């Protein structure tokens, strides 16, 4: 299927103007996409071009710093937060080529400020302001997705507890000429919703749909919306969380900024009661899905398959 963007450039990947989701036709289009591939590019999200470009710029400035400067924010051994490359947890894991900065943004009192870069000087302010806007988009999408399933609009948001989590994973993929090396190996996200700000020029993200890998094209000011495994659990499989991966580029570096929302770690999450009346319950409840999903990922297992009843 071919979709049209605002610039009239046809792309073979779903695009939704989320400012139009009050329309029943657009709402059904959203439900259809989330029930099939679980991923789309969002235009009409209301975040200014200046804000998007500023977030990209401070991320690029950080990764352009000398190694010794970036290492001031290095993650500790066997910890995820901070700057570094992939953790090595087994001798047979797939080789990847990616450096990332993982930070908790909300709740604010859970930020580990020793890991927040002070160079560039406006990094923290820019990330905070960007995250507030992304959280607003996520909340609006959660309500719309609930309505598309004929649920009360806060049905998903009510599962998150009083202190829902928002984290950012800023990814930097240096040029790599070895085709067998991935930027990120195939995985499911641990979130309910992931919002990705792609590189403005260099492609690399691929989503598995219908058994084939499809490249997500660059639409410079669109946001990539990807459902995480928790959303598939909460919807009892009605919405899909797609496997996705990142390819490396032999000549060009690539950067992206992912924002992931999660409930409080100890909140028990399972299929919503309203969605298991008409079909069998597919998944058992789970606490701290983020840790469970990561453990499965490193063992080469699919967390959703492991949760099936």
């Amino acid at each position: 299927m071919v979709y049209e963007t605002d610039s009239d450039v046809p792309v073979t990947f779903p695009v939704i103007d989320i400012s139009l989701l009050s329309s029943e036709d657009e709402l059904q289009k959203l439900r259809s996409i989330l029930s099939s591939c679980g991923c789309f590019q969002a235009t009409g999200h209301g975040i200014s071009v200046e804000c998007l470009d500023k977030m990209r710029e401070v991320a690029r400035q950080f990764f352009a710093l000398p190694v010794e400067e970036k290492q001031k924010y290095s993650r500790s051994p066997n910890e995820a937060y901070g700057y570094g490359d992939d953790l090595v947890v087994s001798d047979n894991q797939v080789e990847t080529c990616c450096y990332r900065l993982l930070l908790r943004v909300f709740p604010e009192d859970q930020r580990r400020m020793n890991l927040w870069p002070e160079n560039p000087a406006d990094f923290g302010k820019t990330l905070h302001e960007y995250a507030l806007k992304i959280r607003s988009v996520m909340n609006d999408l959660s309500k719309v997705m609930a309505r598309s399933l004929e649920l009360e609009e806060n049905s998903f948001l009510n599962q998150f507890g009083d202190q829902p989590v928002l984290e950012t994973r800023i990814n930097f993929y240096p040029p790599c000429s070895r085709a067998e090396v991935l930027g990120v190996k195939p995985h499911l996200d641990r979130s309910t919703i992931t919002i990705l700000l792609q590189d403005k020029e260099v492609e690399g993200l691929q989503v598995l749909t219908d058994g084939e890998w499809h490249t997500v094209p660059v639409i410079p000011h669109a946001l990539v919306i990807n459902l995480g495994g928790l959303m598939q659990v909460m919807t009892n499989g009605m919405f899909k969380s797609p496997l996705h991966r990142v390819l490396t580029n032999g000549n060009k570096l690539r950067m992206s900024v992912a924002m992931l929302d999660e409930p409080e770690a100890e909140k028990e999450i399972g299929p919503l009661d309203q969605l298991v009346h008409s079909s069998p319950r597919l998944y058992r409840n789970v606490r701290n899905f983020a840790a469970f999903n990561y453990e499965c990922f490193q063992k080469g297992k699919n967390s959703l398959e492991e949760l099936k009843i």
Side-chain angles (χ1 to χ4, degrees):
M1 184 178 293
V2 175
Y3 302 85
E4 297 292 329
T5 69
D6 293 339
S7 60
D8 297 324
V9 177
V11 296
T12 54
F13 197 85
V15 177
I16 291 182
D17 183 338
I18 59 177
S19 69
L20 303 178
L21 286 174
S22 57
S23 156
E24 187 61 31
D25 287 345
E26 288 299 304
L27 196 62
Q28 290 310 309
K29 176 183 174 183
L30 174 71
R31 176 173 174 169
S32 175
I33 289 169
L34 297 183
S35 300
S36 54
C37 69
C39 186
F40 65 93
Q41 298 218 58
T43 60
H45 45 69
I47 302 178
S48 70
V49 170
E50 291 76 16
C51 179
L52 300 179
D53 285 346
K54 182 61 178 176
M55 187 64 239
R56 288 186 176 107
E57 179 59 24
V58 295
R60 285 189 181 278
Q61 287 175 356
F62 171 75
F63 280 110
L65 293 172
V67 172
E68 58 271 19
E69 178 70 17
K70 289 181 288 193
Q71 286 178 338
K72 292 178 182 179
Y73 310 100
S74 293
R75 57 172 172 76
S76 299
N78 301 317
E79 283 201 354
Y81 294 103
Y83 167 76
D85 54 8
D86 276 348
L87 289 169
V88 177
V89 298
S90 68
D91 293 334
N92 60 353
Q93 72 185 61
V94 176
E95 188 176 354
T96 57
C97 185
C98 175
Y99 295 89
R100 61 175 57 88
L101 179 66
L102 178 63
L103 301 170
R104 178 160 295 192
V105 184
F106 297 125
E108 286 189 54
D109 62 4
Q110 294 180 19
R111 293 178 179 178
R112 297 173 58 178
M113 296 309 299
N114 62 308
L115 299 176
W116 282 55
E118 296 180 356
N119 186 4
D122 55 350
F123 179 94
K125 178 176 183 289
T126 301
L127 176 57
H128 177 82
E129 293 177 352
Y130 177 70
L132 286 173
K133 292 179 171 62
I134 289 293
R135 168 156 275 180
S136 178
V137 173
M138 285 177 166
N139 288 347
D140 289 345
L141 281 171
S142 292
K143 293 176 180 180
V144 169
M145 289 192 291
R147 292 205 309 270
S148 78
L149 294 175
E150 300 180 355
L151 300 171
E152 193 279 322
E153 67 173 13
N154 288 315
S155 294
F156 298 132
L157 294 174
N158 288 342
Q159 307 300 307
F160 277 40
D162 296 330
Q163 289 194 301
V165 170
L166 186 69
E167 296 186 343
T168 187
R169 190 170 63 221
I170 303 174
N171 306 297
F172 178 78
Y173 306 97
C176 178
S177 59
R178 295 169 57 198
E180 75 277 10
V181 176
L182 296 174
V184 179
K185 60 189 175 184
H187 66 285
L188 298 171
D189 281 350
R190 67 200 202 194
S191 59
T192 54
I193 299 172
T194 299
I195 295 186
L196 182 75
L197 179 63
Q198 288 212 92
D199 194 286
K200 286 180 72 171
E201 298 177 357
V202 184
E203 295 177 345
L205 176 63
Q206 292 191 323
V207 176
L208 187 67
T209 54
D210 300 324
E212 295 184 0
W213 289 106
H214 295 270
T215 298
V216 179
V218 169
I219 303 177
H221 306 305
L223 297 170
V224 179
I225 312 296
N226 179 64
L227 296 191
L230 268 180
M231 185 59 75
Q232 185 163 328
V233 170
M234 285 196 293
T235 61
N236 201 37
M238 295 185 72
F239 287 164
K240 307 304 181 188
S241 175
L243 274 173
H244 51 288
R245 68 182 184 183
V246 177
L247 303 183
T248 53
N249 187 293
N251 303 306
K252 299 179 180 179
L253 62 85
R254 180 176 178 270
M255 186 277 301
S256 66
V257 181
M259 305 291 292
L260 303 92
D261 70 334
E262 303 171 29
E264 295 175 352
E266 293 308 309
K267 283 284 289 183
E268 188 172 84
I269 303 295
L272 297 184
D273 290 341
Q274 307 94 305
L275 299 178
V276 296
H277 293 314
S278 56
S279 59
R281 182 186 177 98
L282 297 180
Y283 303 105
R284 56 185 171 88
N285 289 2
V286 61
R287 296 183 193 272
N288 200 350
F289 179 76
F292 177 77
N293 185 61
Y294 183 75
E295 181 182 346
C296 291
F297 170 65
Q298 296 297 1
K299 292 179 179 178
K301 296 180 178 180
N302 183 311
S303 58
L304 293 175
E305 290 297 319
E306 296 297 303
L307 283 178
K308 277 191 174 178
I309 294 174

